[in-house]
Structures are given as C-alpha cells and as structure tokens.
Amino acid sequence: MTTKKKTIGPGESVADHEILRRVGEGARGVVFQAKNAEGRLRALKILRPEFAKDDTAVGEFREEARATAAVQHESVVSMYECGVDHGVHYISMEFVDGPPLDRLLAERKGLSWKTAVRVAIQAADALGHAHDIGYLHRDIKPGNILLYSDGTARVTDFGIVKDIRTLRGFLVNGKKVGTAAYASPEQCTGKRLGPATDLYSLGATLYHMVCGRPPFVAENRKMLLAKHVRTQPVPPSRLVKNLPRPLSNALERSLAKSPMARFPSMDNFAATLRMILEGRVAIVPS
C-alpha cells in the first residue's frame, strides 16, 4: 500500500500555515506566500516531496535554516521556524512584499546607480556580518536579493557551509556551487574559497544593476566560466553615461581576478560604496 503524498498548494495547510500562492521555486524547493495561525504573512519554503527521504537534500535544507537563523542581520531574511509536518519539510521565513532583484532587472534595463548602490550596501552589510561569524554565502546573485516595496533589501538563500576555510570552488562534494554568471574566478577553477568570493559575486551583481547586464555573457556555461577566469569586464563607465568614476573603479576592483586585488573585506567595500553615494571622493585603484 502506497502512502498518499500531502498536496501542497494554495488552500492547503502546512504546520498551521495557510498557503496563499506560489511566489518562487528552485531545483529542490518551492516558496509560497502563507499566513500563520496569528494571521501574519510568511514565506513558507517547502522541500519538494521527491526529496523528502533524500538524507543529503534534507540535511542541506536544515543547514540553510540553521545558517539563516544564525546570521540574524537586518538585511537578511528572518527565519522563524523549521520543521516537518506529516512528512513535509518546511522553513517559515519573513515575507518580503517586493520582487526579487532578478525580476526587477528583467523588467528594466538597469537601475539608477544610486538605487543600485543602496541595494549593494545593504547586501554587503549582511554578508560582512555573515563572514564575521564564519559563514560564506557562495551564491550571491540578483535572484537571492529580495526587495521590499520601499526598496529595502534582504539577502536570502543561505545554502552555505560554516567553516569557510575548507571550501573549494564551483564543485563542493560533487555539487555545483554558485551561479555561473556571478561566480568568482576561484569558484570556476576549484581553488579554495574565502570571503573575497562573495565580494566578487556582489560586485558582479552590482555591475548588472548598474549596466543592465552581468559582467560577462556567453553561449554556454564553460565559455562563461572561462571569461570569469581570463577576460576583463568592460569598464562600467564605458557602458553608462555620467557614471561616477569612483563607482566604475570600485566595480572593476571588486571584479579583480585575484582575490588579493579586491577590497580587503566586505565591510571595506560597503564603506567605499557609502563614500561614493554621499559624494565623497573614494580612492580605489585597481
């Protein structure tokens, strides 16, 4: 006798959360807007039923919840609860009422540089805090930055490993880590990863926000990874009129091939972006 899988969709209930609508999905999980027993809106992330008995998938799902809860920063999506309800693995999180950044960028050809820098500063603050407590995100990209309707940003999807000293590139335990369009050169070549890899990915995300496209595009993943390793991006100042030169310089520095040539920390990158936004001169030689 087979066990009937729990239906997951609008109108159904998971752990006292009434599911309202689907708002996103990935390879292993689906995210719904839901309402908890107190009537508060939540984002409910559900592990797809076909992975419910996959120990590796379940372990990574729980690790994401633990990491999100551990970071506890105003610019990281808050995690409220993680559990299992009748075989359904779920994470209850803060519901962000605006679009993910990738959807916004798909609708527009870039953002104003000031708006882009404000978003990047918030993400950099969150990632700097994560680095300080030993967490590396590894997959910073527009799809993992959510925006409230007022423009406030939240970093999400912490599928990360605690001990950042043990991480290596694009494959970790045989699994691809990161997204090719925003992957650092060290991810692409399998070298040891550190905070500078998140800095590169955030720089690539900011480049996309400012320039309307990622630093590199290619016909396939292999060619794209090779460009991250060997090709210099077009300076943003050549693509965007009236872009402040310090911002163009900062973007080029964040995308340096060598981790040592980038900003020394995410906090330093955030401080430089604040100087640029406030109109102060920032010296950021490549």
Side-chain angles (χ1 to χ4, degrees):
M1 181 176 179
T2 58
T3 301
K4 185 178 180 181
K5 290 182 179 179
K6 181 177 178 67
T7 302
I8 304 173
E12 298 298 322
S13 178
V14 174
D16 294 326
H17 289 71
E18 178 190 354
I19 293 178
L20 303 177
R21 63 187 178 94
R22 181 182 296 217
V23 294
E25 61 184 295
R28 292 183 176 177
V30 181
V31 181
F32 296 94
Q33 181 191 43
K35 185 166 57 177
N36 70 5
E38 290 76 37
R40 296 186 177 92
L41 288 179
R42 295 288 186 256
L44 198 68
K45 187 169 186 177
I46 303 292
L47 184 66
R48 294 183 186 275
E50 57 266 35
F51 294 106
K53 294 185 178 180
D54 182 327
D55 291 342
T56 298
V58 171
E60 291 176 352
F61 191 76
R62 290 175 176 170
E63 176 60 24
E64 177 183 347
R66 284 193 293 269
T68 303
V71 173
Q72 292 186 355
H73 188 275
E74 62 181 6
S75 294
V76 171
V77 170
S78 297
M79 201 284 289
Y80 301 119
E81 182 184 354
C82 175
V84 186
D85 180 27
H86 293 87
V88 177
H89 296 265
Y90 69 90
I91 303 173
S92 176
M93 300 178 290
E94 172 186 6
F95 178 73
V96 179
D97 66 4
L101 181 57
D102 61 342
R103 188 183 306 164
L104 188 63
L105 291 173
E107 296 169 355
R108 307 181 186 181
K109 187 174 175 59
L111 307 178
S112 73
W113 72 264
K114 288 186 177 180
T115 297
V117 168
R118 289 189 187 100
V119 170
I121 288 171
Q122 293 174 75
D125 286 343
L127 293 167
H129 175 67
H131 295 166
D132 287 345
I133 62 173
Y135 283 87
L136 188 66
H137 192 287
R138 297 182 297 165
D139 196 19
I140 289 297
K141 60 182 179 180
N144 284 337
I145 298 176
L146 306 181
L147 301 175
Y148 272 99
S149 54
D150 65 359
T152 304
R154 294 285 190 274
V155 176
T156 190
D157 199 7
F158 272 78
I160 55 182
V161 177
K162 190 169 185 178
D163 187 356
I164 63 178
R165 295 169 300 175
T166 64
L167 292 175
R168 287 190 177 276
F170 210 66
L171 292 175
V172 176
N173 295 328
K175 176 187 172 185
K176 289 178 180 175
V177 176
T179 299
Y182 309 94
S184 68
E186 55 270 26
Q187 278 180 293
C188 300
T189 54
K191 294 180 180 178
R192 192 171 299 281
L193 304 184
T197 197
D198 279 349
L199 201 152
Y200 182 98
S201 296
L202 181 58
T205 297
L206 178 55
Y207 188 106
H208 190 167
M209 284 192 276
V210 170
C211 301
R213 64 171 178 80
F216 305 108
V217 293
E219 295 179 4
N220 56 57
R221 176 184 293 273
K222 183 177 180 180
M223 293 173 65
L224 187 52
L225 298 183
K227 285 191 174 184
H228 281 294
V229 176
R230 302 187 185 96
T231 306
Q232 295 299 327
V234 177
S237 58
R238 287 173 49 187
L239 299 175
V240 182
K241 287 185 177 181
N242 302 318
L243 188 70
R245 174 64 67 176
L247 178 56
S248 186
N249 291 345
L251 278 167
E252 289 184 73
R253 184 178 180 184
S254 70
L255 295 172
K257 302 304 180 189
S258 168
M260 296 296 292
R262 298 170 206 155
F263 290 88
S265 68
M266 195 66 78
D267 291 341
N268 185 267
F269 186 37
T272 298
L273 294 178
R274 284 190 172 90
M275 291 176 67
I276 295 169
L277 188 62
E278 294 165 5
R280 292 181 284 154
V281 176
I283 305 301
V284 285
S286 296

